[in-house]
Amino acid sequence: MSSLMSQFAEMMPVLLSGAWVSVKLFVATLVLALPLGFPIMLGENSRFLPARWFCKLYVFVFRGTPLLLQLMFFYFFFPIVLDIQISAFAASVLSFVLNYAAYLAEIYRGGMNSIDRGQYEAAHSLGLSKAQTLFGIIVPQMLRVVMPPVGNECIVLVKDTALVYTIGVVELMKRTYEISNREVTMIPYLFAAVIYLAITFLLTMGLRKIESHYSRYDEQEG
């Protein structure tokens, strides 16, 4: 037991430095992908055919190909094809944002389509503009509907950050792999699992608080 604790004390600072990189990738992806999914969803529902088909093609491509393949593509595409140097972390952020925006757009679209059409008619009868109807009436209701599936995507994102070690980003899994090879032990993977579970636990608690907030709001409306 004392040996395990000494290994924990020795390895954890290094693992936490990798976990910090994973957290930065997680936050960057959410900050950029959450809003990006919204115009893509609007484009899918647009009556302007070029915009609609472009957005549908975008969603089809990024949902239909593996995230790992997208990572490889963007990491090697810019230096080889465009002769532009891009860091592994920047390529990771770009890949994750474009991928998750596609999934979030579909979640938003499902939430938007779940809103009763009578809401639009009532807003029109009150003389509200399309923008007022969308952002003042439809979007707040849509957000309450999509909160659970968006929360699930956040949990998946935590685990997906492990993929970026394949292109050399020194995140949690990369640090774990390095220590495991150096020390010839599987113990670092156990510690990495603890860190992932801790991050997931904190995120789950935060998401539950947000969902309970919206639930209370719904009950007050009822």
Side-chain angles (χ1 to χ4, degrees):
M1 185 66 179
S2 60
S3 175
L4 183 63
M5 292 305 296
S6 64
Q7 287 180 320
F8 181 86
E10 180 183 353
M11 298 176 184
M12 194 53 65
V14 179
L15 293 176
L16 288 177
S17 69
W20 175 238
V21 176
S22 299
V23 169
K24 287 195 293 185
L25 175 58
F26 172 83
V27 172
T29 301
L30 280 190
V31 168
L32 297 173
L34 283 172
L36 180 59
F38 191 75
I40 296 171
M41 176 273 294
L42 292 179
E44 286 191 282
N45 288 340
S46 174
R47 294 180 181 178
F48 183 56
L49 287 181
R52 181 194 300 177
W53 286 112
F54 173 81
C55 290
K56 285 186 177 296
L57 178 62
Y58 169 90
V59 170
F60 174 76
V61 170
F62 280 94
R63 292 180 72 212
T65 55
L67 178 54
L68 181 59
L69 176 63
Q70 295 164 26
L71 275 169
M72 296 292 183
F73 175 80
F74 285 111
Y75 183 57
F76 293 108
F77 175 79
F78 287 95
I80 295 177
V81 179
L82 301 180
D83 196 25
I84 298 174
Q85 295 302 316
I86 181 172
S87 70
F89 186 79
S92 300
V93 172
L94 178 61
S95 303
F96 273 66
V97 168
L98 295 178
N99 179 276
Y100 272 82
Y103 282 93
L104 290 169
E106 285 300 282
I107 292 173
Y108 295 162
R109 190 166 69 90
M112 182 76 75
N113 293 342
S114 70
I115 306 300
D116 189 89
R117 297 301 302 178
Q119 301 273 357
Y120 294 90
E121 296 170 2
H124 179 71
S125 66
L126 292 173
L128 298 179
S129 67
K130 289 184 178 180
Q132 290 173 321
T133 300
L134 179 64
F135 294 104
I137 297 176
I138 304 303
V139 170
Q141 297 181 72
M142 181 199 77
L143 291 177
R144 294 198 291 272
V145 173
V146 305
M147 190 60 64
V150 168
N152 289 337
E153 286 298 307
C154 291
I155 300 298
V156 173
L157 174 56
V158 171
K159 295 177 287 185
D160 276 352
T161 58
L163 293 174
V164 300
Y165 93 95
T166 58
I167 60 172
V169 177
V170 187
E171 46 70 70
L172 178 54
M173 281 305 298
K174 181 72 171 178
R175 290 296 191 193
T176 304
Y177 178 77
E178 291 173 347
I179 297 174
S180 179
N181 279 358
R182 185 178 68 245
E183 303 294 334
V184 194
T185 175
M186 297 298 291
I187 293 296
Y189 289 99
L190 174 62
F191 295 156
V194 171
I195 294 174
Y196 278 118
L197 287 172
I199 295 173
T200 302
F201 174 77
L202 293 174
L203 181 60
T204 301
M205 292 298 101
L207 291 169
R208 285 183 180 175
K209 285 186 176 296
I210 295 174
E211 289 182 21
S212 64
H213 170 76
Y214 279 112
S215 297
R216 287 196 300 269
Y217 184 78
D218 289 338
E219 291 171 2
Q220 290 173 1
E221 283 190 337

